[in-house]
Amino acid sequence: MTANLEIDLAAIAANWRFLDASHPGETAAVLKADGYGLGAARMAPVLAAAGCRTFLTAHLDEAIALRPLLPHAAIAVLNGLYPHAAADFRAHGVLPVLGSLHDIALWRAQARAEGQALPAWLHLETGMHRLGLAEAEIDQLCADSSQLAGLRVDLVMTHLLAAEFPADAANARQRALFHALAARFPGARTSLANSSGMFLGPAFQSDLARPGAALYGVNPTPGRANPMRNVVRLLAPILQIHEIPAGEGVGYGWLWRAERPSRIATIGVGYADGYHRILTNQGHAIFDGTPIPLVGRVSMDLTTFDVTGVPAASPGDMLCLLGPLHGVDALAAEAGTNGYEILTSLGRRYQRHYTGA
Ligand SMILES: *Cc1c(COP(=O)(O)O)cnc(C)c1O
């Protein structure tokens, strides 16, 4: 018996509408990594029906897979253009976010080959130092108009490096640099905030917000109440219950030992399902509203919980590994990671059920 992963499409649409209503600009949806592991193809049409007109992926392949599902939307690829791919981008009506002078040269060559002007979205570097045009490169670009020949810069974007920490000085620094750099491209739309950036106040508004994680229920305001609706529920049936005396251990290496006579529930979920091994002796699940501790090693396909405190728990009953009472952020905290990694790790063996569409 495998676990059920329920993904609430109505909650995702509600989260998008909530974010979209929170600012005057347009709101995109980031669907990279298969929509943060939840199934981009299932979510894209639901988001489009909610009113989303711009979708972002990391890779061209991800964008191509979405194109038939989003016939009228703009789809852009955050990781930029790869060599020899410009014609493929064009054939599928996908925009690369140009992040280097080399990207720009390739896109310019494509415009020349087609004999027509092409729209261009530029990634401006403001502190992340991963992708984007640095200030000196922007100087170069603006000094020599031939570099943008045949390109119409429609949008400039940058990415915040610490938006989930409102007090971090990087936020104001990046915003100021972004506005200064964006002013070099008059007429271009601006795009600044990710999920957390949308909660940094009106100064961080732009023409196109780019939320990902918040759509999927991850708290964009860590340390404060989560303004987003819960999206995923992961329910695993109890396979067996073992009654063990005090002094006996559980699982590989007996990393947990019973201090009292205990009831141990085993579920068929393990680290091969993205239920991280580091949760060993750290994690919790919910049974009937009560948190129950994970005991012993998480193994590849099995994990054990101490259900001594919930005598009603029986084989076949469901333990809730992720849900409204124990969400992605709570599980992430127990696993020493963030909600993004919890979602993108969700395994392929779960029975996926999409609800609310
Ligand atoms: C992933 C990503 C986003 C979305 O970030 P969230 O924190 O998930 O909202 C936005 N912009 C860029 C450039 C990204 O890489």
Side-chain angles (χ1 to χ4, degrees):
M1 261 190 301
T2 152
N4 291 331
L5 178 61
E6 298 174 3
I7 297 164
D8 185 345
L9 295 170
I12 294 168
N15 284 339
W16 183 87
R17 281 194 219 94
F18 170 75
L19 293 174
D20 187 47
S22 74
H23 74 123
E26 186 188 339
T27 304
V30 179
L31 286 177
K32 62 194 181 192
D34 195 24
Y36 292 50
L38 298 183
R42 296 302 296 264
M43 300 188 294
V46 172
L47 288 161
C52 185
R53 289 173 284 123
T54 301
F55 295 82
L56 302 165
T57 66
H59 294 285
L60 176 59
D61 286 354
E62 296 176 314
I64 291 174
L66 292 178
R67 179 41 87 203
L69 304 169
L70 299 168
H72 307 300
I75 308 181
V77 170
L78 293 166
N79 283 11
L81 196 50
Y82 342 109
H84 315 298
D88 276 351
F89 274 85
R90 289 290 292 156
H92 294 93
V94 173
L95 269 181
V97 179
L98 306 172
S100 66
L101 292 177
H102 185 62
D103 274 4
I104 291 172
L106 294 170
W107 201 234
R108 193 172 64 229
Q110 180 65 26
R112 196 182 321 116
E114 291 186 34
Q116 60 169 329
L118 295 185
W121 287 19
L122 304 185
H123 195 145
L124 310 183
E125 158 57 34
T126 58
M128 191 77 132
H129 298 298
R130 298 189 311 188
L131 296 172
L133 296 153
E135 191 163 9
E137 293 172 309
I138 295 168
D139 288 342
Q140 247 180 287
L141 206 55
C142 295
D144 170 10
S145 62
S146 71
Q147 292 211 52
L148 285 170
L151 303 183
R152 189 182 66 241
V153 178
D154 279 350
L155 181 139
V156 292
M157 58 164 268
T158 200
H159 194 39
L160 297 169
L161 68 95
E164 65 276 38
F165 305 111
D168 196 306
N171 292 317
R173 209 167 55 228
Q174 283 191 280
R175 186 195 65 210
L177 179 55
F178 177 61
H179 287 312
L181 297 176
R184 315 276 295 270
F185 303 94
R189 294 202 298 156
T190 57
S191 178
L192 176 57
N194 66 337
S195 297
S196 293
M198 296 184 79
F199 293 83
L200 290 175
F204 288 82
Q205 287 170 359
S206 61
D207 297 318
L208 182 72
R210 306 186 309 271
L215 297 174
Y216 315 117
V218 174
N219 187 356
T221 60
R224 289 185 277 154
N226 190 350
M228 311 314 300
R229 275 177 59 173
N230 184 72
V231 166
V232 294
R233 288 214 309 162
L234 179 58
L235 299 166
I238 297 174
L239 303 179
Q240 296 188 8
I241 293 195
H242 285 234
E243 314 256 357
I244 63 170
E248 280 288 299
V250 171
Y252 285 118
W254 273 21
L255 289 192
W256 181 85
R257 282 183 196 236
E259 285 172 4
R260 55 178 178 174
S262 298
R263 298 174 77 233
I264 302 302
T266 304
I267 61 167
V269 169
Y271 60 75
D273 303 295
Y275 198 68
H276 298 301
R277 190 166 178 267
I278 198 164
L279 289 164
T280 294
N281 282 338
Q282 303 292 328
H284 286 83
I286 304 291
F287 176 79
D288 205 11
T290 305
I292 53 167
L294 190 164
V295 293
R297 252 293 175 239
V298 175
S299 38
M300 186 183 294
D301 316 294
L302 296 166
T303 299
T304 39
F305 290 86
D306 179 2
V307 294
T308 315
V310 282
S314 314
D317 288 347
M318 291 290 186
L319 296 189
C320 183
L321 307 183
L322 277 175
L325 296 180
H326 194 61
V328 286
D329 295 293
L331 187 65
E334 293 170 345
T337 182
N338 61 10
Y340 299 63
E341 194 180 31
I342 295 294
L343 290 180
T344 55
S345 304
L346 288 169
R348 301 284 126 199
R349 296 193 290 190
Y350 300 137
Q351 302 251 10
R352 290 180 173 228
H353 301 281
Y354 290 88
T355 62

